[in-house]
Amino acid sequence: MSIENFPDAFDSTVDTGLEWLSDNGSGLFDAINDVLKGAYESLLWLFNLTPYYVVAVLIALLGWRLAGLRFAIIALIGMLFCAFIGLWPETMGTLALVVVATLLALLVAIPLGVLAGLLPRLDRIIEPALDLVQTMPPYIYLLPAIALLGYGTGTALLATFVVALPPAFCLTSLGIRMTPNEFIELGNASGVTGWQMFLKIRLPFAMPSIMAGINQSLMMAFGMVVIAGIVGSGGLGETIYSAIRTLDIAKSINGAIAIVILTMVLDRLAQGAATAQEGKRL
Amino acid sequence: MTTTTSDVNDVLVSCESVWKIFGENSAEAMKAVVERGLTKKQILQDYSCVVGVSGVNLEVRRGEIFCIMGLSGSGKSTLIRLLNKLITPSSGKVRVKGRELSSLSAAELRAVRARQIGMVFQSVALLPHRTVLENTAFGLEVQGVPKAERFKIAEAALVKVGLGDWIKRYPDELSGGMQQRVGLARALAADPEIILMDEPFSALDPLIRRQLQDEFRQLTKELGKSAVFITHDLDEAIRLGDRIAIMKDGMIIQVGTAEDIVLNPADDYVAEFVAGISRLHLVKAKSVMTPVALYKVAHPNVDVSRLPITSPDADLDQVIGLAVVNDRDAIAVAEEGVVCGVITLRDLLRGVQGTANEYAPAAGQPLTEVSS
């Protein structure tokens, strides 16, 4: 094989590989797509069923409980602003994407993180892999996803899921591993079982780290969901992408403002939940 | 100090030639020790293993406070962790109430730790997200005692250590001394027979430390507990311990009462340690007295029965007080009305220096045998 032919040969190898995957794994990928889309669509249906002012007030009330009155007022004004600039359905679309992708990521990342925290050997395998995931530009994950799941929400969700996975995993594993030794000794000297050691000693100490991981995963998901506009994710990302393509600067800026508002609201809510957790001292 | 009520034959915790070697090659290093008797230094060189505890034998009797005194690196913290198997020995046997720890299943070991052998740590290790009451009830919670009951027991334990008004507080609201009391209450709440104290008072300021030492001793005796108390402070060991073991380089070099150790140090190391310790409250009249017969030879004209009288267990401080008040240069030591020895000024001064009378009965021997 000469060097000139190499790019073509390499391309066709990758093509064959992906083809093989989609041929043999089509059932699996369809299932993944269905689950992702199903979760997203039901949540979106729920959001769209509720009038915008009700959703805004609910978010404000939640904000009041978790982060105080001042934040609640700002959140209310911000959410209503999203509606008044005519981007309410898109905002809800983005919210649903972020929530679904983050929840799915947490569902995998936290139990896995706990296991890795308890089993250093498992951690040594998973952590480098996820470090690699974090090192690469998030954009990359759209490519294999689109090849396997096709253009649309499923791809956006899968890529977002992948990007949201590492922070929650790493910080959960770290939190579980970092239990101060004297408390491990206390547990053992008191005659705890393995399960009690986890629930009563390791988990409480890991909680702040886990909450930080959740918050970071949420923020990563936000970043990805906007980028995923180019694969037809729906929501604000797609609005901005198509507005830029048609040079509709005003609309793209409106979309950006809505994203900023939504990000800040969710970030503060997640932080508020974390502090409330600590303030309660479990 | 109250006199010890421990029973020599009632051993709660014992170690039988217990070794702990740390390091990757510890198994081989242990083998080398058994087969070739390598020293600590050789093991470090040949196997890059550290000897933590080296051939320790000890017995802790029911009702006594057994102090293990040593400087940092002497292996005392390792030794105490061998007693509840937080650290597994490389060789040798550790028994708690006659059962060898290494023969127990995981569940049996948990039961022993939960019910028979409590532990108090230097770092206190109070869970920061739990109230004082919840921390104190931790051991009972682990054992599955119902909430209402364990809180009742925990509150009673907190009242015992003088923290009855603090049960709803969090650890970070308490001073260091109070936190350590919570640690003690937590150990007491599970009602173990033996309490392991790992330098619990080392980080406290001197006044609080003395106060806690006295309270601890009183409480332990009142509740009839036995304790193993680790310290690097000889004064603390003397204040607390019914018996004291001195550790150096992983070995126990002497075990005895405070008086034994001060009067008859096993080697220069111990002698240097005890050099600065005041003898006034340690040395007993019976250890410095001259037998009556010998006294009579030197002082034929003195009527022994007319001297001021003290008891064999009176300490030097009391004897000096008696001599000063009566303005006499000799004090008779009498047990149940029979004079068994005489303390002259020379005996007294030598006692203050830390030298026993060469003719006094050895520890454990009857006093009257000497006088006859």
Side-chain angles (χ1 to χ4, degrees):
Chain A
M1 184 177 59
S2 71
I3 196 78
E4 290 85 42
N5 295 337
F6 181 73
D8 289 338
F10 190 72
D11 283 356
S12 68
T13 314
V14 172
D15 264 351
T16 325
L18 277 176
E19 242 167 65
W20 182 88
L21 258 183
S22 47
D23 284 352
N24 291 283
S26 64
L28 177 69
F29 296 123
D30 286 351
I32 292 176
N33 206 3
D34 288 350
V35 169
L36 292 172
K37 268 176 123 166
Y40 164 73
E41 272 157 17
S42 17
L43 194 62
L44 188 59
W45 174 78
L46 194 69
F47 284 155
N48 285 335
L49 196 70
T50 327
Y52 71 90
Y53 46 88
V54 175
V55 175
V57 167
L58 283 178
I59 289 176
L61 282 178
L62 193 63
W64 188 22
R65 277 216 54 179
L66 293 175
L69 187 60
R70 206 168 64 111
F71 168 71
I73 294 169
I74 295 171
L76 184 65
I77 295 171
M79 293 311 289
L80 290 178
F81 182 79
C82 292
F84 295 155
I85 57 176
L87 287 174
W88 185 256
E90 288 81 0
T91 308
M92 286 301 102
T94 298
L95 184 61
L97 281 170
V98 168
V99 169
V100 168
T102 309
L103 280 184
L104 288 175
L106 296 182
L107 222 56
V108 175
I110 292 178
L112 208 60
V114 165
L115 267 184
L118 297 174
L119 307 168
R121 228 181 289 172
L122 184 68
D123 194 61
R124 276 200 292 275
I125 300 170
I126 300 181
E127 180 125 19
L130 289 185
D131 279 349
L132 190 69
V133 169
Q134 278 187 303
T135 317
M136 294 206 275
Y139 201 80
I140 296 287
Y141 302 109
L142 291 172
L143 305 177
I146 204 167
L148 299 173
L149 299 185
Y151 186 84
T153 317
T155 297
L157 282 169
L158 185 64
T160 309
F161 168 84
V162 170
V163 169
L165 212 53
F169 170 85
C170 293
L171 285 167
T172 301
S173 158
L174 180 78
I176 295 288
R177 251 179 301 144
M178 288 295 133
T179 319
N181 189 41
E182 65 237 50
F183 290 98
I184 301 289
E185 275 199 330
L186 165 73
N188 281 328
S190 310
V192 294
T193 61
W195 188 236
Q196 285 173 330
M197 178 73 90
F198 173 68
L199 278 186
K200 294 181 195 295
I201 291 183
R202 283 191 186 272
L203 196 57
F205 278 105
M207 245 10 240
S209 183
I210 295 176
M211 294 305 286
I214 292 174
N215 195 11
Q216 278 197 27
S217 282
L218 189 65
M219 292 301 108
M220 291 300 283
F222 244 111
M224 192 64 211
V225 146
V226 176
I227 294 171
I230 58 170
V231 295
S233 62
L236 292 167
E238 197 174 341
T239 308
I240 295 175
Y241 185 65
S242 53
I244 288 174
R245 273 198 314 185
T246 54
L247 289 178
D248 187 349
I249 303 300
K251 194 169 188 190
S252 70
I253 288 178
N254 282 351
I257 292 172
I259 282 176
V260 170
I261 290 171
L262 195 59
T263 314
M264 290 201 310
V265 168
L266 275 197
D267 182 37
R268 288 284 292 153
L269 284 181
Q271 275 182 23
T275 358
Q277 181 83 30
E278 271 171 64
K280 205 160 42 124
R281 308 192 194 225
L282 287 179
Chain B
M1 260 191 252
T2 45
T3 48
T4 158
T5 50
S6 62
D7 181 348
V8 180
N9 297 317
D10 197 355
V11 174
L12 282 184
V13 180
S14 71
C15 289
E16 204 177 291
S17 43
V18 167
W19 286 77
K20 179 63 196 181
I21 298 179
F22 294 104
E24 279 181 23
N25 308 318
S26 58
E28 291 153 54
M30 190 63 235
K31 217 173 132 198
V33 167
V34 174
E35 287 168 2
R36 293 185 279 144
L38 293 192
T39 64
K40 192 174 172 166
K41 209 171 161 189
Q42 287 170 313
I43 291 169
L44 185 61
Q45 267 172 10
D46 298 358
Y47 294 89
S48 61
C49 285
V50 178
V51 177
V53 165
S54 146
V56 162
N57 291 296
L58 65 83
E59 287 184 340
V60 180
R61 301 161 190 163
R62 186 184 297 276
E64 80 173 338
I65 299 178
F66 187 88
C67 279
I68 300 174
M69 210 287 303
L71 300 183
S72 50
S74 61
K76 57 191 192 301
S77 289
T78 306
L79 179 56
I80 200 171
R81 279 165 178 72
L82 291 167
L83 301 183
N84 61 353
K85 216 184 165 206
L86 283 184
I87 296 176
T88 308
S90 305
S91 99
K93 288 177 178 142
V94 179
R95 291 196 183 84
V96 172
K97 297 186 76 185
R99 295 163 84 196
E100 202 192 322
L101 291 185
S102 60
S103 70
L104 300 181
S105 70
E108 286 171 324
L109 180 64
R110 280 202 299 274
V112 166
R113 285 166 170 174
R115 301 207 171 83
Q116 293 176 353
I117 194 158
M119 193 163 185
V120 176
F121 300 90
Q122 181 180 6
S123 59
V124 202
L126 297 179
L127 295 159
H129 48 276
R130 288 167 172 250
T131 62
V132 165
L133 185 66
E134 288 164 345
N135 263 294
T136 308
F138 182 74
L140 298 166
E141 181 185 332
V142 164
Q143 290 179 44
V145 176
K147 202 170 193 168
E149 196 186 334
R150 68 174 186 252
F151 281 171
K152 211 177 98 193
I153 298 171
E155 194 175 343
L158 285 165
V159 168
K160 268 183 214 153
V161 298
L163 288 178
D165 296 333
W166 293 80
I167 58 173
K168 291 272 183 281
R169 302 302 180 113
Y170 283 89
D172 57 7
E173 298 174 271
L174 271 57
S175 69
M178 291 162 100
Q179 291 187 12
Q180 201 47 275
R181 283 171 198 220
V182 179
L184 183 58
R186 176 173 60 194
L188 291 175
D191 198 28
E193 280 178 70
I194 308 142
I195 303 175
L196 304 179
M197 306 283 285
D198 181 24
E199 296 201 53
F201 307 146
S202 299
L204 305 177
D205 60 68
L207 260 172
I208 302 284
R209 194 187 311 167
R210 284 185 73 132
Q211 198 184 340
L212 277 175
Q213 285 162 358
D214 293 342
E215 283 177 24
F216 169 71
R217 186 168 166 92
Q218 202 188 344
L219 207 55
T220 314
K221 294 294 171 189
E222 226 172 77
L223 299 171
K225 306 287 181 203
S226 313
V228 178
F229 195 106
I230 298 284
T231 178
H232 60 252
D233 175 3
L234 187 61
D235 282 314
E236 185 169 65
I238 287 170
R239 281 177 80 83
L240 284 176
D242 295 314
R243 286 192 305 147
I244 299 169
I246 308 239
M247 263 190 108
K248 185 195 174 194
D249 293 339
M251 285 179 280
I252 289 185
I253 44 183
Q254 187 170 9
V255 182
T257 62
E259 194 187 11
D260 288 342
I261 288 176
V262 168
L263 290 179
N264 308 303
D267 62 10
D268 292 346
Y269 180 78
V270 181
E272 206 177 307
F273 243 113
V274 300
I277 295 295
S278 164
R279 273 73 179 163
L280 286 182
H281 296 285
L282 281 181
V283 178
K284 303 276 188 324
K286 63 186 174 195
S287 311
V288 296
M289 69 188 186
T290 306
V292 177
L294 271 170
Y295 180 79
K296 278 184 173 161
V297 172
H299 304 85
N301 301 324
V302 179
D303 181 359
V304 172
S305 60
R306 299 188 65 176
L307 292 173
I309 288 173
T310 189
S311 79
D313 283 321
D315 62 30
L316 289 183
D317 194 47
Q318 288 170 298
V319 178
I320 290 171
L322 206 60
V324 170
V325 166
N326 292 291
D327 198 15
R328 298 295 295 262
D329 54 8
I331 304 287
V333 180
E335 193 180 38
E336 290 164 2
V338 182
V339 176
C340 51
V342 176
I343 300 174
T344 63
L345 283 186
R346 177 179 169 276
D347 294 334
L348 210 47
L349 288 173
R350 279 170 45 101
V352 172
Q353 268 189 325
T355 317
N357 193 305
E358 55 269 50
Y359 302 110
Q365 274 181 7
L367 300 173
T368 41
E369 220 168 76
V370 185
S371 63
S372 61

